[in-house]
Amino acid sequence: GAGVSQSPSNKVTEKGKDVELRCDPISGHTALYWYRQSLGQGLEFLIYFQGNSAPDKSGLPSDRFSAERTGGSVSTLTIQRTQQEDSAVYLCASSLTGVTDTQYFGPGTRLTVL
Amino acid sequence: GESVGLHLPTLSVQEGDNSIINCAYSNSASDYFIWYKQESGKGPQFIIDIRSNMDKRQGQRVTVLLNKTVKHLSLQIAATQPGDSAVYFCAEKNKGGSEKLVFGKGTKLTVNP
């Protein structure tokens, strides 16, 4: 079956612009995660959605970052007024129920802020 | 605090040799650990996991060892192949903590033919 998909695969934007990154999780997975991976670094947790529960936003680095998950499926990560330090690969993952289920990752969106 | 780190940032082995990738963690409350493999340009791929009530778990050509006394995790890859070349990350979840994984920075494994 289809895995986690993300779009766009690459995004180049100018400093100060807003960007939206999309994640389509595996069908039936109730848990969805966003991570950020800077060059040569590990994954930094951003936000976690689980079913209808309030999302865990503890990893969002600033109030310029927000995410939604509509209908328990597709998720959008929005970065407002982008800064150069936002440049990174943004990875989305989904799992069947929770964090101790295998997380399946998408290919990521490479964001470059000029 | 929460932190997961690695002993070596890079590892180079000959094809056919066994590889050992190490990971240290600092939070004794962590109760679940995972190894991921990330090939260039791709998202991480699950390899194997282990819970804190176990010391060892084996998969196909891979073994994860957990030493809770020294808070050390290792991934052993048997008969390493060129396709194993990638960056390997360990990750942990804290018991009773928020439902998120804390990732280490990764070890780059290069397999020489």
Side-chain angles (χ1 to χ4, degrees), chain A residues 33 35 37 40-43 45 48 56 58 91 98-107, chain B residues 32 34 36 38 41-46 49 51 89 93 98-101 103-106:
Chain A
Y33 314 78
Y35 295 90
Q37 185 174 32
Q41 299 295 310
L43 279 69
F45 168 80
Y48 163 59
D56 177 352
S58 61
L91 289 157
V99 75
T100 52
D101 292 322
T102 300
Q103 293 187 30
Y104 296 89
F105 283 82
Chain B
Y32 179 63
I34 312 172
Y36 280 92
Q38 187 175 28
K42 297 182 179 180
Q45 177 185 7
F46 172 89
D49 60 1
R51 296 184 186 274
F89 295 95
K93 174 189 171 296
S98 63
E99 292 290 304
K100 67 180 183 182
L101 294 175
F103 283 79
K105 291 188 176 181

Coordinates of all heavy atoms in Angstrom, one line a residue, chain A residues 33 35 37 40-43 45 48 56 58 91 98-107, chain B residues 32 34 36 38 41-46 49 51 89 93 98-101 103-106:
Chain A
Y33 N 3.2 12.7 13.2 CA 4.3 13.4 13.8 C 5.0 14.3 12.8 O 5.1 13.9 11.6 CB 5.4 12.5 14.4 CG 4.9 11.3 15.1 CD1 4.3 10.2 14.5 CD2 4.9 11.3 16.5 CE1 3.8 9.1 15.2 CE2 4.4 10.2 17.3 CZ 3.9 9.1 16.6 OH 3.4 8.1 17.3
Y35 N 8.7 16.3 12.3 CA 10.1 16.5 12.8 C 10.8 17.4 11.9 O 10.5 17.6 10.7 CB 10.9 15.1 12.8 CG 10.3 14.1 13.7 CD1 9.4 13.2 13.3 CD2 10.8 13.9 15.0 CE1 8.9 12.2 14.1 CE2 10.4 12.9 15.8 CZ 9.4 12.0 15.4 OH 8.9 11.1 16.2
Q37 N 14.8 18.2 10.5 CA 16.2 17.7 10.5 C 17.1 18.7 9.8 O 17.0 18.9 8.6 CB 16.2 16.3 9.7 CG 17.6 15.7 9.7 CD 17.6 14.3 9.1 OE1 16.8 14.0 8.2 NE2 18.4 13.4 9.6
G40 N 23.0 17.3 8.6 CA 23.9 16.5 9.4 C 23.5 16.3 10.8 O 24.3 15.9 11.6
Q41 N 22.3 16.6 11.1 CA 21.8 16.5 12.5 C 20.7 15.4 12.6 O 20.2 14.9 11.6 CB 21.2 17.8 13.0 CG 22.2 19.0 13.0 CD 23.3 18.8 14.0 OE1 23.0 18.5 15.1 NE2 24.5 18.9 13.5
G42 N 20.4 15.1 13.8 CA 19.3 14.1 14.1 C 18.0 14.8 13.9 O 17.9 16.0 13.5
L43 N 16.9 14.1 14.2 CA 15.6 14.6 14.1 C 15.1 15.3 15.3 O 15.3 14.8 16.4 CB 14.6 13.4 13.8 CG 14.6 12.9 12.4 CD1 15.9 12.2 12.0 CD2 13.4 12.0 12.2
F45 N 11.9 16.8 17.2 CA 10.5 16.6 17.3 C 9.8 18.0 17.3 O 10.3 19.0 17.9 CB 10.1 15.9 18.6 CG 8.7 16.0 19.0 CD1 7.7 15.1 18.4 CD2 8.2 16.9 19.9 CE1 6.4 15.2 18.8 CE2 6.9 17.0 20.3 CZ 6.0 16.2 19.7
Y48 N 2.9 16.4 17.6 CA 2.4 15.1 17.6 C 0.9 15.1 17.6 O 0.3 15.8 18.6 CB 3.0 14.3 18.7 CG 2.3 13.0 19.1 CD1 2.1 11.9 18.2 CD2 1.8 12.8 20.4 CE1 1.5 10.8 18.6 CE2 1.2 11.6 20.8 CZ 1.1 10.6 19.9 OH 0.5 9.4 20.3
D56 N 0.3 17.5 20.8 CA 1.5 17.8 21.7 C 2.3 18.8 20.8 O 3.0 18.3 19.9 CB 2.2 16.5 22.0 CG 3.5 16.8 22.8 OD1 3.9 18.0 23.0 OD2 4.1 15.8 23.3
S58 N 4.8 20.6 22.0 CA 5.9 21.0 22.9 C 7.2 21.2 22.1 O 8.1 21.9 22.6 CB 6.1 20.0 24.0 OG 6.4 18.7 23.4
L91 N 10.2 16.4 8.1 CA 9.8 15.0 8.0 C 8.5 14.8 8.7 O 8.3 15.3 9.8 CB 10.9 14.1 8.5 CG 12.2 14.0 7.7 CD1 13.3 13.5 8.5 CD2 12.0 13.1 6.5
G98 N 0.2 4.9 18.4 CA 1.0 5.7 19.3 C 2.5 5.6 19.0 O 2.9 4.9 18.1
V99 N 3.2 6.2 19.9 CA 4.7 6.3 19.7 C 5.4 5.0 19.8 O 6.5 4.8 19.2 CB 5.3 7.4 20.6 CG1 5.4 6.8 22.0 CG2 6.6 7.8 20.1
T100 N 4.8 4.0 20.4 CA 5.5 2.7 20.5 C 5.1 1.8 19.4 O 5.6 0.7 19.3 CB 5.2 2.0 21.8 OG1 3.8 2.0 22.1 CG2 5.9 2.7 23.0
D101 N 4.3 2.3 18.5 CA 4.1 1.6 17.2 C 5.1 2.1 16.2 O 5.6 3.3 16.3 CB 2.7 1.9 16.6 CG 1.6 1.3 17.4 OD1 1.8 0.2 17.9 OD2 0.5 1.9 17.6
T102 N 5.5 1.3 15.2 CA 6.5 1.7 14.3 C 6.0 3.0 13.6 O 4.9 3.1 13.1 CB 6.7 0.6 13.2 OG1 7.1 -0.6 13.9 CG2 7.7 1.0 12.2
Q103 N 6.9 4.0 13.5 CA 6.7 5.2 12.8 C 7.2 5.1 11.4 O 8.4 4.7 11.2 CB 7.3 6.4 13.5 CG 6.7 6.7 14.9 CD 7.3 8.0 15.5 OE1 7.7 8.9 14.8 NE2 7.3 8.0 16.8
Y104 N 6.3 5.3 10.4 CA 6.7 5.3 9.0 C 6.9 6.7 8.5 O 6.0 7.5 8.7 CB 5.7 4.6 8.2 CG 5.5 3.1 8.6 CD1 4.6 2.7 9.6 CD2 6.2 2.1 7.9 CE1 4.5 1.4 10.0 CE2 6.1 0.8 8.3 CZ 5.3 0.4 9.3 OH 5.1 -0.9 9.6
F105 N 8.1 7.0 8.0 CA 8.4 8.3 7.6 C 8.2 8.6 6.1 O 8.3 7.7 5.3 CB 9.9 8.6 7.9 CG 10.2 8.9 9.3 CD1 10.3 7.9 10.2 CD2 10.3 10.2 9.8 CE1 10.6 8.1 11.6 CE2 10.6 10.5 11.1 CZ 10.7 9.4 12.0
G106 N 7.8 9.8 5.8 CA 7.7 10.2 4.5 C 9.1 10.7 4.0 O 10.1 10.6 4.8
P107 N 9.3 11.0 2.7 CA 10.6 11.4 2.2 C 11.0 12.8 2.6 O 12.2 13.1 2.4 CB 10.3 11.4 0.7 CG 8.9 11.7 0.5 CD 8.2 11.0 1.7
Chain B
Y32 N 11.8 2.7 26.0 CA 11.6 2.1 24.7 C 12.7 2.8 23.8 O 12.8 4.0 23.8 CB 10.2 2.5 24.2 CG 9.8 2.0 22.8 CD1 9.8 0.7 22.5 CD2 9.5 3.0 21.8 CE1 9.5 0.3 21.2 CE2 9.2 2.6 20.6 CZ 9.2 1.2 20.3 OH 8.8 0.8 19.0
I34 N 14.6 2.7 19.8 CA 14.5 2.3 18.4 C 15.8 2.6 17.6 O 16.4 3.7 17.9 CB 13.3 3.0 17.7 CG1 12.1 2.9 18.6 CG2 13.0 2.4 16.3 CD1 10.9 3.8 18.0
Y36 N 16.9 3.5 13.7 CA 16.4 3.9 12.3 C 17.6 4.0 11.4 O 18.7 4.3 11.8 CB 15.7 5.2 12.3 CG 14.3 5.2 12.8 CD1 14.0 5.4 14.2 CD2 13.2 5.0 11.9 CE1 12.7 5.4 14.6 CE2 11.9 5.0 12.4 CZ 11.7 5.2 13.7 OH 10.4 5.2 14.2
Q38 N 18.7 5.8 7.7 CA 18.3 6.8 6.8 C 19.3 6.9 5.7 O 20.5 7.2 5.8 CB 18.2 8.2 7.5 CG 17.7 9.3 6.6 CD 17.5 10.6 7.3 OE1 18.2 10.9 8.2 NE2 16.5 11.4 6.8
G41 N 18.7 11.3 1.1 CA 17.5 11.8 0.4 C 16.2 11.1 0.7 O 15.2 11.4 0.1
K42 N 16.3 10.2 1.7 CA 15.1 9.5 2.1 C 14.7 9.8 3.6 O 15.6 10.2 4.3 CB 15.2 8.0 1.9 CG 15.5 7.6 0.4 CD 15.6 6.1 0.3 CE 15.8 5.7 -1.2 NZ 15.9 4.3 -1.4
G43 N 13.5 9.4 4.0 CA 13.2 9.5 5.3 C 13.7 8.3 6.1 O 14.1 7.3 5.5
P44 N 13.8 8.4 7.4 CA 14.3 7.3 8.2 C 13.4 6.0 8.1 O 12.2 6.2 7.9 CB 14.2 7.8 9.7 CG 14.3 9.3 9.5 CD 13.5 9.6 8.2
Q45 N 14.1 4.9 8.2 CA 13.4 3.6 8.0 C 13.6 2.8 9.3 O 14.7 2.6 9.8 CB 13.9 2.9 6.8 CG 13.3 1.5 6.6 CD 14.0 0.8 5.5 OE1 15.0 1.2 4.9 NE2 13.4 -0.4 5.1
F46 N 12.5 2.3 9.9 CA 12.6 1.5 11.1 C 13.4 0.3 10.9 O 13.3 -0.4 9.9 CB 11.2 1.1 11.5 CG 11.1 0.1 12.7 CD1 11.1 0.6 14.0 CD2 11.1 -1.2 12.4 CE1 11.0 -0.4 15.0 CE2 11.0 -2.2 13.4 CZ 11.0 -1.7 14.7
D49 N 13.5 -2.4 17.3 CA 13.2 -1.7 18.6 C 13.4 -2.7 19.7 O 13.5 -3.9 19.6 CB 11.8 -1.1 18.6 CG 10.7 -2.1 18.5 OD1 11.0 -3.3 18.3 OD2 9.5 -1.7 18.4
R51 N 12.4 -2.9 24.2 CA 11.9 -2.3 25.4 C 12.8 -2.5 26.5 O 13.7 -3.4 26.5 CB 10.5 -2.9 25.7 CG 9.5 -2.6 24.6 CD 8.1 -3.1 24.9 NE 7.2 -2.9 23.7 CZ 6.5 -1.7 23.5 NH1 6.6 -0.7 24.3 NH2 5.8 -1.6 22.4
F89 N 20.3 6.2 13.3 CA 19.9 6.9 14.4 C 19.3 6.0 15.5 O 18.6 5.1 15.2 CB 18.8 7.9 14.1 CG 19.2 9.0 13.1 CD1 19.0 8.9 11.7 CD2 19.9 10.2 13.5 CE1 19.4 9.8 10.8 CE2 20.2 11.1 12.7 CZ 20.0 11.0 11.3
K93 N 12.2 6.8 24.0 CA 11.0 7.3 24.5 C 11.1 7.2 26.1 O 11.5 6.2 26.6 CB 9.7 6.6 24.0 CG 8.4 7.0 24.7 CD 7.3 6.2 24.4 CE 6.1 6.5 25.2 NZ 6.2 6.2 26.6
S98 N 6.1 12.7 27.6 CA 5.3 13.0 26.5 C 5.5 11.9 25.4 O 6.6 11.2 25.4 CB 5.6 14.3 25.9 OG 6.9 14.4 25.5
E99 N 4.5 11.7 24.6 CA 4.6 10.7 23.5 C 5.4 11.2 22.4 O 4.9 11.5 21.3 CB 3.2 10.4 23.1 CG 2.3 9.7 24.2 CD 2.8 8.3 24.4 OE1 2.9 7.5 23.4 OE2 3.2 7.9 25.5
K100 N 6.7 11.3 22.6 CA 7.6 11.6 21.5 C 8.9 10.9 21.6 O 9.2 10.4 22.7 CB 7.9 13.1 21.5 CG 8.7 13.6 22.7 CD 8.9 15.1 22.7 CE 9.8 15.6 23.8 NZ 9.9 17.0 23.8
L101 N 9.6 10.8 20.5 CA 10.9 10.1 20.5 C 12.0 11.2 20.5 O 11.8 12.3 19.9 CB 11.0 9.3 19.2 CG 10.1 8.1 19.1 CD1 10.3 7.4 17.7 CD2 10.4 7.1 20.2
F103 N 15.8 11.7 19.4 CA 16.7 11.1 18.5 C 18.1 11.6 18.8 O 18.4 12.7 19.1 CB 16.4 11.5 17.0 CG 15.2 10.7 16.4 CD1 13.9 11.1 16.7 CD2 15.5 9.7 15.6 CE1 12.9 10.4 16.2 CE2 14.4 9.0 15.0 CZ 13.1 9.4 15.3
G104 N 19.1 10.7 18.5 CA 20.5 11.1 18.6 C 20.9 11.7 17.2 O 20.1 11.8 16.3
K105 N 22.1 12.1 17.1 CA 22.6 12.8 15.9 C 22.9 11.9 14.8 O 23.0 12.3 13.6 CB 23.7 13.7 16.2 CG 23.4 14.9 17.1 CD 24.5 15.9 17.3 CE 24.0 17.1 18.1 NZ 25.1 18.1 18.2
G106 N 23.1 10.6 15.0 CA 23.4 9.7 13.9 C 24.8 9.3 13.8 O 25.7 10.1 14.1

